[in-house]
Amino acid sequence: MSTPADAAQNLAQTKDQTALTSVEAAVLASNPNDASRGQPTAAAPSASELASTKITLLGALKHFPDFPIPGVKFIDILPLFQDPVIHETLLRALELQVLEFGEQAKPDVIVGLDARGFLFGPSLALRLGASFVPVRKKGKMPGPCVTAAYEKEYGTDFFQMQEGAVKPGQKVLVVDDIIATGGSAAAAGSLVKQLGGELIGYLFILEIPVLNGRSKLGGAQTVTLLETNE
Ligand SMILES: O=P(O)(O)OC[C@H]1O[C@H](OP(=O)(O)OP(=O)(O)O)[C@H](O)[C@@H]1O
Ligand SMILES: Nc1ncnc2[nH]cnc12
């Protein structure tokens, strides 16, 4: 089976590198095999490559009006994972965002939100040499849990984390696919704090700025790769 690393190697071997697209260049600038903790794995793509990469990622998103309820403009991020080159590019871009936080804010733990935060949280944690810990919807995990109620763009729910999953004083970065109204992320942040974790911030693939979700995050460092109000 062909892996993203194979895809990058094949590109390097078969293409004249001056003719690479920006997405391909971003993939070649990454080194999927190097999971050494916090070390930039290769030269970062230039600002213009990153801008072009973001346009590519935005272009892969799909839009569904009135899903799951009337009035919601649903943005589907799943296509980002269908193409291994785009998937690799996404992970590298997220990794670079975290490395930009600097040494003092290097996360010990990546906390990913049920369910779409599970699509990339573990891969990102592995690249950063960090643990991965899930926040799950209520009733899914065994043993003692801490619980927080929250409201999101299209409903209300309860999130849980297992006691002891984050150790007191560990630096925690909360990651998810989308910040809309910010209710889900804020609840996850409150659970991290209940467990004694040091919340260093939030990282999202996509922000919907018109819904002003950041206002619920108490001024914590919040980084989003892409944004759209469409
Ligand atoms: O900023 P908010 O308004 O809180 O909305 C954002 C949340 O909504 C979506 O999850 P959803 O609860 O639909 O669950 P899923 O990942 O299981 O589809 C999305 O993946 C975020 O977690
Ligand atoms: N508009 C939206 N599209 C996709 N996921 C979401 N989660 C909350 N709001 C969303």
Side-chain angles (χ1 to χ4, degrees), residues 67 72-77 116 152-154 177-181 206 208 211:
F67 181 87
V72 172
K73 294 191 247 178
F74 190 88
I75 303 168
D76 186 12
I77 56 96
R116 287 174 253 158
K152 61 182 171 181
E153 191 183 6
Y154 40 75
D177 64 329
I178 290 180
I179 177 165
T181 63
L206 181 72
I208 306 174
L211 297 175

Side-chain angles (χ1 to χ4, degrees), residues 32-143:
N33 295 321
D34 185 349
S36 54
R37 180 178 174 76
Q39 294 303 307
T41 50
S46 68
S48 66
E49 282 170 344
L50 196 54
S52 171
T53 293
K54 288 184 180 189
I55 290 168
T56 302
L57 295 176
L58 271 173
L61 303 175
K62 290 196 176 149
H63 301 258
F64 294 88
D66 299 320
F67 181 87
I69 57 172
V72 172
K73 294 191 247 178
F74 190 88
I75 303 168
D76 186 12
I77 56 96
L78 296 177
L80 295 174
F81 301 92
Q82 288 168 5
D83 177 334
V85 174
I86 293 183
H87 186 173
E88 169 59 33
T89 302
L90 171 69
L91 282 171
R92 177 62 177 158
L94 291 168
E95 180 188 12
L96 287 170
Q97 296 281 10
V98 179
L99 294 177
E100 274 181 20
F101 288 5
E103 193 65 24
Q104 74 293 344
K106 189 190 289 180
D108 301 307
V109 183
I110 299 292
V111 162
L113 274 54
D114 191 348
R116 287 174 253 158
F118 299 172
L119 295 173
F120 64 97
S123 314
L124 182 62
L126 204 52
R127 282 168 176 247
L128 296 165
S131 314
F132 176 78
V133 170
V135 164
R136 296 218 60 188
K137 288 172 186 166
K138 191 176 170 187
K140 299 285 186 185
M141 292 185 296

Side-chain angles (χ1 to χ4, degrees), residues 145-167:
C145 291
V146 288
T147 305
Y150 65 97
E151 277 182 41
K152 61 182 171 181
E153 191 183 6
Y154 40 75
T156 59
D157 222 322
F158 293 89
F159 266 159
Q160 292 187 318
M161 291 180 77
Q162 286 175 313
E163 288 181 11
V166 169
K167 309 281 179 294

Side-chain angles (χ1 to χ4, degrees), residues 157-215:
D157 222 322
F158 293 89
F159 266 159
Q160 292 187 318
M161 291 180 77
Q162 286 175 313
E163 288 181 11
V166 169
K167 309 281 179 294
Q170 281 190 311
K171 292 191 177 106
V172 178
L173 178 69
V174 172
V175 306
D176 201 8
D177 64 329
I178 290 180
I179 177 165
T181 63
S184 310
S190 82
L191 291 174
V192 167
K193 290 180 189 164
Q194 281 185 57
L195 296 180
E198 182 192 337
L199 181 65
I200 57 171
Y202 297 88
L203 173 66
F204 304 94
I205 295 174
L206 181 72
E207 177 174 12
I208 306 174
V210 73
L211 297 175
N212 199 22
R214 282 173 185 255
S215 65

